[in-house]
Amino acid sequence: MTEGSVHIAPMGRGITMKLLRRSGIVAIVGLTLLSGTTLVRADVITDWTQTAIDVMKAVNVAGNPWTRSLAMMQVSMSDSVNAVEDRYARFTPGIAADPNASAEAAAAAAAREILMRQYPGQKARIDAAFAAMLEKVPDSPARAAGIALGEKVAGAVFTDRQNDQTNVPDTYRPLTRPGAWVPTTSPAFSQYAAAKPWGMKAANQFRPAAPPKLSSALYARDYNETKEFGGLKSVKRTDAQSDAVRFWTQGNLFVAWYRAAEQISARKGLGLADNARLFALLSMGIANCYILDWDAKFTYQFWRPLTAIRNGDQDGNDATERDAGWLPLNATPMHPEYPSQAGINAGTAMRILESVFGTGPESFTVTDVADVRLQRRFDSPAQMAEEHKEVRVWGGIHFRNSLNVGEAMGRKLGDYLLANYLKPVR
């Protein structure tokens, strides 16, 4: 490629983008430079979703707590809207209906209350978003009633989640023996393995069977695939695949499913109650992923490729050759490998989106949370889900079986929520 040139580098799934900086020249490969994020039809649900994303970015909240916060907000908004419109069942028991209230005001007040209780340092940002809502909803008894209703619903949701065991002290104990070295960085949010899920019977409800035996052919297949494609110095991974790995940071993996939902729902013209339900189910599902998956991860405590490949001579499998200096392209996450978080997220989100929009083609664009010039476009949620799985192999942090098992778990989780919660009432 010449300096400053632009070319399309097809990947088969999705479209890749690459920034090249040579002699001060920036070239975009695969997609055109955009001046801002993708425009979608905004409503109170998507507006506050973006506000929550901005608030949590400002205070550096990520991972499991990010999903918990968004679930609390989205469930509060859905319950508030349906206390007015009575289109879908409410998740929180004991919420009295108020058909004379403003549904928009109720949803906004619920979102504000949840965010303010968790992130009071972001008061100015939250108040600005609320003031923007007040400009759209005329001052009236309905607005006042909606605000009171939303605050009440949010208070009930927030109070309920104070007993969800996510804030208990971290008591994870590394499995070791005297004299043996173990990583000295604490694992990420190990207490979520015993947390209270959203609407599930227990965190182990869909716990999968154990990972494949180290001596198995399946393990050898996955070991060698990740070793060859996921290594820092891999000669089999293409530039396009490497670009995809670098795009899909944890922050983008979270936000991507909400971007898909926003754009498809806007194109379909979903109403307020429908959108509130969709985003509540999506947020409940993803929050549950970070509980159910953590239960399985810390039950099996399966090793990551970095450990496995550097100790390939210790696994009892003649088909796995050790590479003492192997490093992954991605930094290894601080939690066990099996099953994959990207996999379970993909399975859950796909199932919920498919329940509303079907399985046909639905295009959308995901914009990088840190750089609006970087985007990836997809023709369906399933296409993006497949890429989310692939990049965990190409990045050297997962084995393929773990991704497939995670996706199957996620679909079961999504089916359970759809069969039991926020169901149509009329």
Side-chain angles (χ1 to χ4, degrees):
M1 176 186 300
T2 59
E3 291 185 354
S5 66
V6 179
H7 80 259
I8 296 176
M11 292 177 50
R13 291 189 172 94
I15 302 175
T16 190
M17 163 178 284
K18 185 176 182 181
L19 278 178
L20 299 178
R21 299 184 182 272
R22 297 177 182 170
S23 305
I25 300 173
V26 179
I28 303 293
V29 180
L31 291 174
T32 56
L33 184 69
L34 299 183
S35 60
T37 56
T38 301
L39 296 178
V40 297
R41 176 183 59 86
D43 68 3
V44 67
I45 305 301
T46 56
D47 282 348
W48 279 95
T49 299
Q50 185 59 52
T51 297
I53 290 170
D54 292 341
V55 163
M56 290 190 283
K57 181 180 179 181
V59 294
N60 200 30
V61 172
N64 309 48
W66 192 99
T67 67
R68 178 179 182 266
S69 292
L70 211 53
M72 283 195 289
M73 189 189 82
Q74 301 286 10
V75 168
S76 296
M77 285 197 291
S78 181
D79 280 0
S80 296
V81 168
N82 283 290
V84 178
E85 297 191 0
D86 197 30
R87 289 278 313 286
Y88 297 100
R90 299 186 284 279
F91 181 82
T92 308
I95 300 299
D98 188 352
N100 296 317
S102 163
E104 289 81 2
R112 179 188 65 168
E113 185 71 13
I114 288 292
L115 292 179
M116 199 72 83
R117 289 193 184 207
Q118 295 182 96
Y119 310 111
Q122 291 293 300
K123 183 177 186 301
R125 189 188 301 268
I126 297 166
D127 281 346
F130 192 68
M133 182 281 300
L134 293 179
E135 294 178 358
K136 300 175 184 177
V137 181
D139 189 5
S140 65
R143 188 175 82 175
I147 292 172
L149 172 63
E151 291 174 348
K152 180 180 179 180
V153 172
V157 172
F158 185 85
T159 298
D160 176 68
R161 297 313 294 187
Q162 298 318 290
N163 300 315
D164 64 5
Q165 303 300 305
T166 60
N167 293 313
V168 300
D170 178 9
T171 59
Y172 173 76
R173 184 174 181 173
L175 298 177
T176 185
R177 54 180 171 77
W181 179 87
V182 294
T184 53
T185 300
S186 180
F189 308 111
S190 60
Q191 64 269 40
Y192 275 68
K196 172 186 174 183
W198 290 83
M200 313 294 292
K201 295 177 182 177
N204 64 356
Q205 187 168 344
F206 296 123
R207 183 190 293 170
K213 293 181 179 180
L214 301 184
S215 59
S216 68
L218 175 59
Y219 175 73
R221 180 205 71 179
D222 289 353
Y223 175 105
N224 287 308
E225 180 188 28
T226 300
K227 179 184 176 185
E228 292 172 1
F229 284 91
L232 180 63
K233 299 179 180 180
S234 171
V235 296
K236 290 195 173 182
R237 185 182 56 246
T238 67
D239 287 345
Q241 291 167 343
S242 296
D243 291 338
V245 172
R246 296 186 182 102
F247 180 88
W248 289 114
T249 61
Q250 184 186 64
N252 286 336
L253 284 168
F254 285 141
V255 173
W257 294 110
Y258 294 91
R259 295 295 182 239
E262 288 169 1
Q263 292 169 51
I264 300 172
S265 70
R267 189 161 55 246
K268 298 288 188 181
L270 261 61
L272 179 59
D274 295 322
N275 229 21
R277 172 183 179 264
L278 168 63
F279 278 79
L281 284 169
L282 186 61
S283 294
M284 288 167 62
I286 292 176
N288 276 342
C289 288
Y290 281 80
I291 296 173
L292 273 65
D293 193 37
W294 253 239
D295 162 77
K297 282 178 178 290
F298 284 93
T299 294
Y300 296 120
Q301 301 206 37
F302 198 62
W303 58 4
R304 288 279 181 174
L306 174 62
T307 309
I309 293 169
R310 286 187 170 220
N311 292 280
D313 58 339
Q314 302 294 315
D315 59 18
N317 194 322
D318 292 339
T320 60
E321 184 176 344
R322 178 192 182 212
D323 184 341
W326 190 89
L327 288 170
L329 177 61
N330 263 355
T332 296
M334 280 307 300
H335 45 81
E337 192 272 340
Y338 176 89
S340 161
Q341 189 60 53
I344 190 173
N345 284 359
T348 300
M350 275 197 301
R351 186 64 195 93
I352 290 168
L353 293 178
E354 289 169 357
S355 74
V356 176
F357 303 123
T359 59
E362 293 289 353
S363 63
F364 58 92
T365 301
V366 179
T367 301
D368 189 284
V369 295
D371 186 346
V372 297
R373 298 172 300 173
L374 303 178
Q375 294 192 329
R376 297 183 79 78
R377 182 175 177 82
F378 296 94
D379 294 325
S380 70
Q383 188 183 62
M384 183 172 72
E386 188 65 21
E387 184 167 283
H388 281 189
K389 292 163 56 181
E390 295 289 349
V391 296
R392 310 319 260 178
V393 173
W394 299 337
I397 60 173
H398 268 302
F399 300 117
R400 185 164 299 279
N401 179 69
S402 182
L403 292 154
N404 294 337
V405 169
E407 182 181 345
M409 280 180 68
R411 285 193 171 274
K412 290 178 182 178
L413 193 165
D415 285 338
Y416 184 87
L417 290 178
L418 289 164
N420 292 280
Y421 295 99
L422 311 191
K423 298 171 68 174
V425 296
R426 61 182 175 88

